[in-house]
Amino acid sequence: MTATAVHPTESTQPTSRAGELTDEGSTLRHAIALAKRSLIKTWRTPEALVDVTLQPVIFILMFTYIFGGAIAGGSQHEYLQFLLPGVLGQTVAMAGIALGVNLNTDIEKGVFDRFRSLPISRSAPLVGAVLADVVRYLILFVMCLGTGLIVGFHVGTNPLAVLAALGISVAFALCFCWISVWVGMIARTSGAVQGIMFLLVLPLSFVSNAFVPTATMPSWLAQVADVNPISHLVGTVRGLMVGGPVASNLLWTLGWMAVLLLVFVPLALRAYRRRA
Amino acid sequence: MTYAVVAEGLVKHYGTVRALDQLDLAVPEGTVLGVLGPNGAGKTTAVRVLTTLLRPDAGRAEVAGIDVLADPARARDSLGVSGQYAAVDEHLTGFENLDMIGRLYHLGRRASRARARELLEQFDLSDAGDRPSKTYSGGMRRRLDLAGALVARPPVLFLDEPTTGLDPRSRGDMWDVITTLVEGGTSLLLTTQYLEEADRLADNIIVVDHGKVIAEGTADQLKAQVGGERLEVVIADQARLVEARVLLEDSRPGGVAEVDEHVRRITLPSDRGTAGLIEAVRRLDAAGIEVQDIGIRRPTLDDAFLSLTGHGASAERAGHQADDSRGGSRGGGTDSSGSGAGDPGTDGAGQRARGGHPEHQTDGRQRRAGEHVMARKEI
């Protein structure tokens, strides 16, 4: 046998196991199997949940009792009513960071090489990881609301509206986290993912209506804050939990969600495919 | 002959480095091909191309008769791969790792679980099967990773340096596992930098250096390229070396002996096996020359590798980086333009190349000897 003159005379019969495994329905099935993996991981490393458990608690307490008096002219309770949806919006954006960090680590460790050598669709591992993140966002919402209720937050609407607030928060989080997925694919180290995402999320969440009304900002800054997707999410949640108009903010939020998906899902998938 | 794996003219560049340079290989069905080469020779790149993880710049490849480039999804259905770094999820237990892969193959809950238990049993991981795999030893992780590659019983298996970094015992365990698999009919492409491993496991061996095949054949054929059996005699008294040499050369007309005075060793070609050995002992004994050591030595793959590449198989610590950055122009004296353009600044290898180069040229023999020792140690 010489390697240069080898021609296959006959192909070996591939053992057909499940035929083509890469159609749409299969992608979802694979994503769910892979989401289970992420959930087991979360379950075994509960310390990785601090960003959706302790972080919102600390933010709510800090902003209410340290800044609340100054910002709202002495009424900490009044500020809490304003603040709680704001903290929710900020922590929703921050909670997505861990996803990009974890994906980056997984790729570095070679875990994804296994997935890529399996007859599953290339997007399944990413979609699976995003799906598993739903649990984290649910925990986040419960922690925010629970802490708020304990320190005196008052729901000004009804339970259905609160459920709707939960729904839109989680849905927004699932769209927003694709930025993190994308950064996780292109950054070389997990530390870099964290750094880049903080650099993005911190200004984005503060240049918004999350902590102060945008009217108090210089007009150019207020204009930026008013188109910020986090402002629209926070506005929607305020309307649903405290009371007030919802429709406009909700439409803006849905629009932003669509934009985030349309832009960052393809970017993330392309970066994932390229990353060998 | 039917081939499980065929690759022709694979080329892959990383920047200016040619990781694969017209690589050809073929694995006849049911056999083991050992891809032998130092770190950086292109072994891992070749495996990544063949397992659809990486697209080559040129060339074609088939796995189980399926064109890897044209139909990667279907090719993945027929192959299993276990990489150099165990791709197990350390937060999951061994069982969960395997069960997840089973589910991804649409095995169904019951079948997937049964297969996971079966593999844990087969790979001697049953006791540890329900512990998170981060508690596993290196050898256990490798076995789990290999088990993961076997969940769907792929007819073609790729193992990229399956025993690198394992202790001798784990390595032996791994060899046993691989031997069993091959007996079961799996076609296997195995990369290794350990000559002993290729010798032991592979039916055919290709030696890869700088992304191309520099030799191929069975272990015996490769050894034969270095020369046949040799008779080695070490005598006690240095003063009688010449006398002993004449005696031995007389016993084998036409044979020319090599003499190493420092270690009082005489080496000469021997094609008569033990008969030649016995005669040599008789003659020396009759002359009253005390023999300290005598034996027939078959060339090892180490010897083959050294003579084929000019550097040891595991020599990357000593000179591989330098060799690699010099691209294909190893041993030439006019390669400075090539390496100078490509490498300085990329990862520091160029620096080392320039530092290491003259030494390699002027002191080749001595360094080879050193690398040889290293290679042996690693095995």
Side-chain angles (χ1 to χ4, degrees), chain B residues 263-335:
Chain B
V263 294
R264 305 178 308 281
R265 184 176 61 209
I266 304 162
T267 313
L268 77 166
S270 156
D271 49 14
R272 291 191 296 148
T274 38
L277 179 76
I278 291 165
E279 187 179 344
V281 173
R282 281 202 187 116
R283 287 192 177 221
L284 291 167
D285 192 43
I289 298 172
E290 193 188 334
V291 175
Q292 225 169 37
D293 189 16
I294 185 165
I296 297 197
R297 186 165 175 262
R298 303 185 64 212
T300 64
L301 271 173
D302 282 340
D303 301 328
F305 203 90
L306 278 171
S307 77
L308 290 168
T309 66
H311 59 83
S314 315
E316 79 276 2
R317 284 152 207 83
H320 151 68
Q321 293 267 23
D323 285 343
D324 235 18
S325 62
R326 276 184 286 126
S329 47
R330 166 178 24 85
T334 57
D335 58 349

Side-chain angles (χ1 to χ4, degrees), chain B residues 181-209:
Chain B
L181 278 174
V182 173
E183 283 166 3
T186 305
S187 308
L188 172 62
L189 185 149
L190 164 94
T191 77
T192 182
Q193 34 179 323
Y194 301 114
L195 309 154
E196 190 191 354
E197 188 162 282
D199 199 0
R200 166 142 179 200
L201 296 173
D203 299 306
N204 296 296
I205 296 171
I206 58 172
V207 182
V208 175
D209 200 23

Side-chain angles (χ1 to χ4, degrees), chain A residues 3-4 6 8-12 14 17 26 30 37 41 44-45 109-110 113-114 116-119 122 276, chain B residues 1-2 8 24 29 48 52-53 62 64-65 76-78 81 87 89-91 96 104-106 145 152 216:
Chain A
T4 44
V6 161
T9 51
E10 188 188 325
S11 64
T12 50
R17 282 185 299 270
S26 296
H30 297 146
R37 156 186 180 264
K41 205 163 156 180
R44 300 240 163 91
T45 49
K109 280 191 178 169
D113 275 357
R114 164 57 35 79
R116 293 153 64 107
S117 71
L118 296 175
R122 292 262 154 141
Chain B
M1 209 187 315
T2 310
E8 284 173 357
D24 302 316
E29 197 174 298
R48 291 182 72 85
T52 76
L53 297 177
E62 280 186 10
R76 277 178 219 127
D77 216 14
S78 294
V81 55
D89 191 321
E90 56 182 20
H91 296 286
E96 285 163 348
L104 291 173
Y105 272 115
H106 291 202
D145 190 50
E216 65 174 320

Side-chain angles (χ1 to χ4, degrees), chain B residues 188-252:
Chain B
L188 172 62
L189 185 149
L190 164 94
T191 77
T192 182
Q193 34 179 323
Y194 301 114
L195 309 154
E196 190 191 354
E197 188 162 282
D199 199 0
R200 166 142 179 200
L201 296 173
D203 299 306
N204 296 296
I205 296 171
I206 58 172
V207 182
V208 175
D209 200 23
H210 302 291
K212 58 177 107 182
V213 176
I214 56 168
E216 65 174 320
T218 63
D220 287 338
Q221 285 168 349
L222 288 177
K223 288 173 192 167
Q225 285 192 20
V226 191
E229 293 184 350
R230 301 172 85 74
L231 178 66
E232 258 186 28
V233 184
V234 178
I235 64 167
D237 184 0
Q238 195 176 356
R240 305 194 69 177
L241 259 179
V242 178
E243 195 187 336
R245 172 187 183 160
V246 173
L247 271 175
L248 290 169
E249 285 184 342
D250 282 353
S251 77
R252 194 186 180 288

